[in-house]
Amino acid sequence: MEALRKLVPTRVVSSVMAPETPQRDAADLIVDALEALGVEFVFGVPGGAIEPLYNALARSGRRGGPQAVVARNEQGAAYMADGYARETGRLGVCIATSGPGATNLITGVACSFDNSVPMLVLTGQPPIKNFGKGALQESSCTGINTVAMFRPCTRYNSLVSHPDQIPVKLFNAVMQAQRAPSGPSHLSIPVDILRHPMAPETEVPDFAGLLRWTPALVDVAAVEQLARLVSEARRPVWLIGDGCGEAGSELMRLVQITEGSFVTTPDGKGFVNPRHPRFKGVFGFGGHGSAAELLASEPDLVIALGTGFGEFNSGGWSSALLNSRLVHVDDSDENLMRSPMARLHVRGHIRSVCEQLLRLLDAPQEGALLPFQHPQKAQDAYDAMVDEPVAARQPCSPVKPQRLLATLGERCPPHTRFVADAGNSAAWAVHYLAPQDRRSARLPRNTYLPTGQEQRSSRSSWLRVTMDFAPMGWAIGSAVGIALANRRCPVVCLTGDGSYLMNGQEITVAAELGLPVIYIVLNDGALGMVKHGQRLAGAEPIGFELPQVDFAAMAAAMGIPGQVIRSSAELDAVDFDALLARPGPTLLDVRIDGEQVPPMNLRMRTLGTAR
């Protein structure tokens, strides 16, 4: 935080000067609302049409309120806001000027929309009196209509055409962003409206009250029906999705008292300890055969919680999951509509559903916990799940991705946050990454959760991947947002050389702010998923080759320590504890074996190109 404060100039007031009367305009009202909502950082890139908002942020920063974090591209700003929101459970905020500034945001905003990440998006416009005159970067309905562009990927979307609209539209935007299904809200505000003085008597909604709002509504009759089904089930299977973060302890108790097994979606893996004795693996993209076999064995009841059954999370809409044995629990009607074949739908806040279910099943408040397995036994159990456990242990040059992921799980502290980029990075991480849990004791309400997550939010997770809308380079900016949101936990970003060439400049934001992030580039000189996809499909080999780049040298040119890793011996020699403790990012350019095929057969089947 100290590094960030140094970016904000300190105002010095002479003792002979009269006290300055602070200017209060519409932009100040917006920043005050963000402060009331607990927002600490606003991610963006300045520009003329958004200048009043940056002026308000400068004033806010001097008094300890929300501060501006300047990204290198607006797309990166959206990814940072996404990472911040996922880690804290609070609103992520990104801002951009009009025209191309706004359009640069759209990919990141679409990603948060499809992954239900709460975000407030603020973009500028030229003065409203200049609409229709060909003003510079005009993006209203008479120019390049950015409001229309944001409409398909936002929960709330509006042009502010009068200063008096700001309090109500801002309140509505925040409400829509945080209600289920959560996602981004967008307000486009002309620069003259942002500058408009606000009268002291202006009525402002209770933005702080939104922090006290907890959506705990539950369909009680459906929960009672679920309790009966669970009581009658001989071997229930629990499927834990990305929406289950704050219900982790309750879910582990339900698994234990029902003597069931559990699997996760790819983006739900980070909420559990993958070495739990009842864990049967990840089902879906990058997943494990053990999870697919469990569901194919036709268990009498499968309870899926917190997932929308997209392609990657449903195993390509597998009939082994989507059938009449399924019970679907979610707080989003949109998600529930994707499982029309389910035996039962339970609408409600997931943690509240789990708490009521525990009461109905007469579960003890704090029952005896399953013992930890011996570390070697736990390791053997996880090795049995993965495709090539031997490859994850043997010496090699170049480095096998399996070996890299196994090493990271063993060498990084258990409270490390891993964020894996779209493509092969996510596939390798979902399948192979399994951090060691080194605790000697554990709290009853946090059974089997990795160290450092006792105070986590509903979105905080040791592994972050993006599933439905999966842009390359997302993890690079997201890692910055995660690291800013939680200074207690180191961050490791796994990305490919293709993704890094798209968005790698955001590493300089981590350097500027002194954030302990290790950026690991899986460097194979190719767009790896494209290359392997073409080979598996028997397609023409085209467009996947990339130049061999020394990313460590690039980092050094930015003042960031970097190292090229060419063998498993060099990988073993890396002092991860030291790198994660340093006040700033490090880049490891890992030359991986590009001939290793990632676990991506699911993607090939759903594309209809598997052979």
Side-chain angles (χ1 to χ4, degrees):
M1 190 67 73
E2 191 62 31
L4 186 61
R5 290 197 181 99
K6 290 178 181 176
L7 302 177
V8 181
T10 303
R11 183 180 61 181
V12 179
V13 181
S14 170
S15 58
V16 298
M17 294 174 62
E20 180 182 346
T21 302
Q23 176 187 351
R24 302 293 302 161
D25 55 27
D28 288 297
L29 186 153
I30 293 171
V31 174
D32 288 348
L34 298 181
E35 185 171 4
L37 289 163
V39 172
E40 303 161 289
F41 305 105
V42 175
F43 305 92
V45 178
I50 205 77
E51 183 180 274
L53 201 46
Y54 273 92
N55 291 337
L57 285 168
R59 294 189 283 271
S60 165
R62 288 194 289 269
R63 67 170 188 269
Q67 302 181 61
V69 174
V70 179
R72 306 305 177 243
N73 181 282
E74 291 86 356
Q75 185 179 115
Y79 296 154
M80 292 174 195
D82 178 305
Y84 177 85
R86 291 176 192 248
E87 181 65 24
T88 63
R90 295 194 290 271
L91 196 67
V93 182
C94 57
I95 59 178
T97 192
S98 59
T103 58
N104 282 348
L105 281 175
I106 287 178
T107 297
V109 172
C111 179
S112 71
F113 178 82
D114 220 23
N115 289 275
S116 300
V117 178
M119 185 184 291
L120 178 64
V121 183
L122 302 173
T123 63
Q125 290 280 0
I128 201 165
K129 65 180 181 179
N130 293 339
F131 282 14
K133 297 181 180 180
L136 178 67
Q137 297 181 344
E138 183 187 342
S139 44
S140 69
C141 61
T142 54
I144 302 299
N145 193 345
T146 56
V147 178
M149 292 182 187
F150 277 103
R151 186 169 297 120
C153 59
T154 51
R155 302 293 177 190
Y156 183 90
N157 180 50
S158 183
L159 172 72
V160 177
S161 58
H162 192 279
D164 290 345
Q165 296 175 354
I166 287 181
V168 172
K169 286 192 172 182
L170 182 60
F171 189 84
N172 289 342
V174 172
M175 283 285 290
Q176 289 289 342
Q178 297 185 124
R179 64 180 294 185
S182 56
S185 289
H186 171 235
L187 293 177
S188 184
I189 313 174
V191 65
D192 52 332
I193 290 178
L194 286 171
R195 289 196 192 106
H196 192 276
M198 300 302 290
E201 64 273 13
T202 301
E203 291 189 11
V204 179
D206 179 18
F207 287 98
L210 288 174
L211 295 176
R212 300 187 293 271
W213 176 63
T214 302
L217 297 177
V218 171
D219 183 343
V220 176
V223 177
E224 291 173 347
Q225 187 175 351
L226 173 57
R228 289 192 293 271
L229 291 173
V230 170
S231 298
E232 296 167 359
R234 291 178 293 104
R235 49 190 189 107
V237 174
W238 301 81
L239 186 145
I240 297 173
D242 187 40
C244 294
E246 66 179 355
S249 297
E250 290 75 15
L251 276 165
M252 292 301 97
R253 289 179 61 205
L254 284 166
V255 169
Q256 182 163 324
I257 67 170
T258 61
E259 298 184 351
S261 303
F262 73 96
V263 298
T264 73
T265 60
D267 51 4
K269 181 183 179 182
F271 293 124
V272 305
N273 185 339
R275 302 176 191 279
H276 189 291
R278 295 192 188 276
F279 179 56
K280 301 303 179 185
V282 174
F283 183 77
F285 178 70
H288 303 100
S290 55
E293 290 168 9
L294 177 63
L295 293 177
S297 69
E298 299 188 355
D300 47 357
L301 188 67
V302 177
I303 307 101
L305 307 97
T307 181
F309 295 124
E311 176 185 330
F312 282 3
N313 285 338
S314 65
W317 307 285
S318 169
S319 59
L321 172 62
L322 300 177
N323 55 54
S324 60
R325 296 185 295 275
L326 176 69
V327 172
H328 192 182
V329 181
D330 211 288
D331 59 358
S332 165
D333 287 333
E334 286 187 17
N335 283 349
L336 293 173
M337 286 190 292
R338 295 183 180 179
S339 58
M341 75 298 294
R343 179 185 308 187
L344 176 65
H345 293 91
V346 181
R347 172 74 155 84
H349 180 242
I350 292 173
R351 180 173 174 179
S352 299
V353 169
C354 292
E355 289 173 341
Q356 289 202 24
L357 193 56
L358 285 166
R359 286 194 292 270
L360 290 168
L361 295 174
D362 199 24
Q365 286 297 310
E366 298 293 352
L369 303 177
L370 284 173
F372 270 124
Q373 297 184 87
H374 184 276
Q376 187 57 52
K377 186 176 180 181
Q379 181 64 60
D380 292 343
Y382 194 77
D383 282 350
M385 288 184 195
V386 304
D387 291 344
E388 298 181 70
V390 176
R393 297 284 174 266
Q394 64 186 17
C396 50
S397 179
V399 180
K400 285 184 167 52
Q402 303 93 318
R403 179 70 151 79
L404 172 63
L405 273 297
T407 300
L408 293 175
E410 294 165 358
R411 301 282 300 283
C412 293
H415 59 295
T416 302
R417 302 305 200 241
F418 294 93
V419 54
D421 229 327
N424 288 358
S425 299
W428 291 120
V430 165
H431 195 87
Y432 283 97
L433 190 59
Q436 296 283 356
D437 194 328
R438 304 171 192 164
R439 290 175 299 169
S440 59
R442 51 187 197 276
L443 300 174
R445 278 196 52 75
N446 292 282
T447 312
Y448 308 114
L449 297 177
T451 303
Q453 294 198 22
E454 287 77 11
Q455 301 300 319
R456 64 187 188 150
S457 77
S458 62
R459 290 195 166 273
S460 178
S461 165
W462 64 260
L463 173 62
R464 272 287 158 213
V465 293
T466 183
M467 288 287 101
D468 296 337
F469 196 86
M472 293 173 64
W474 160 82
I476 299 168
S478 184
V480 173
I482 293 169
L484 264 178
N486 188 347
R487 292 281 184 149
R488 296 179 299 108
C489 297
V491 179
V492 172
C493 173
L494 294 160
T495 187
D497 48 344
S499 292
Y500 196 81
L501 287 170
M502 289 185 181
N503 292 88
Q505 72 280 356
E506 303 301 345
I507 193 174
T508 61
V509 181
E512 181 182 14
L513 303 181
L515 301 177
V517 182
I518 298 180
Y519 285 91
I520 298 178
V521 181
L522 281 68
N523 188 350
D524 61 354
L527 298 171
M529 184 156 282
V530 174
K531 177 180 75 174
H532 290 293
Q534 290 172 353
R535 289 180 178 180
L536 292 171
E540 293 285 348
I542 182 173
F544 63 81
E545 292 182 324
L546 296 174
Q548 188 60 256
V549 176
D550 187 335
F551 293 105
M554 284 180 62
M558 299 173 181
I560 298 166
Q563 182 179 350
V564 176
I565 307 293
R566 294 182 171 86
S567 69
S568 56
E570 292 180 354
L571 178 64
D572 291 341
V574 174
D575 187 345
F576 284 97
D577 288 335
L579 296 185
L580 290 169
R582 68 174 301 271
T586 305
L587 185 137
L588 299 181
D589 179 347
V590 183
R591 305 298 169 87
I592 63 167
D593 181 353
E595 296 306 304
Q596 296 295 305
V597 182
M600 58 178 288
N601 284 332
L602 166 65
R603 178 64 175 153
M604 306 306 299
R605 288 199 305 271
T606 53
L607 285 173
T609 55
R611 293 196 300 171

